Amino acid sequence: MAWRPPPEEVEAAARVLARAGNHLRWWKPYKKSYEEMFATDLMAKSEFDGIVEQMLMAAREARSATT
């Protein structure tokens, strides 16, 4: 079974990505926090968190490959 980051780590990283994306205007600007953005759209939150989870898993795999 592949390693998966804990949900708390995924959400923390997702908050960072959401803030950066808003700041850098990678997508439509939002005035809301990560929690507010996804409070009413659980499918979007799940998809966003899933992308972040894959990023964290890839980063761990890359670290393992270099050690």
Side-chain angles (χ1 to χ4, degrees):
M1 184 168 185
W3 174 85
R4 295 184 78 161
E8 300 82 19
E9 287 183 17
V10 172
E11 288 196 359
R15 283 186 199 92
V16 171
L17 180 59
R19 278 194 305 269
N22 285 334
H23 177 74
L24 297 170
R25 298 176 191 244
W26 290 342
W27 44 73
K28 180 181 173 184
Y30 290 97
K31 300 281 187 211
K32 298 177 181 180
S33 70
Y34 165 82
E35 290 82 5
E36 292 170 321
M37 279 194 300
F38 296 119
T40 58
D41 192 345
L42 297 179
M43 180 63 75
K45 180 183 184 311
S46 176
E47 291 172 352
F48 193 82
D49 287 356
I51 292 167
V52 171
E53 180 180 53
Q54 290 176 44
M55 293 167 60
L56 293 170
M57 291 169 72
R60 181 181 173 113
E61 186 176 316
R63 275 193 310 273
S64 296
T66 60
T67 57

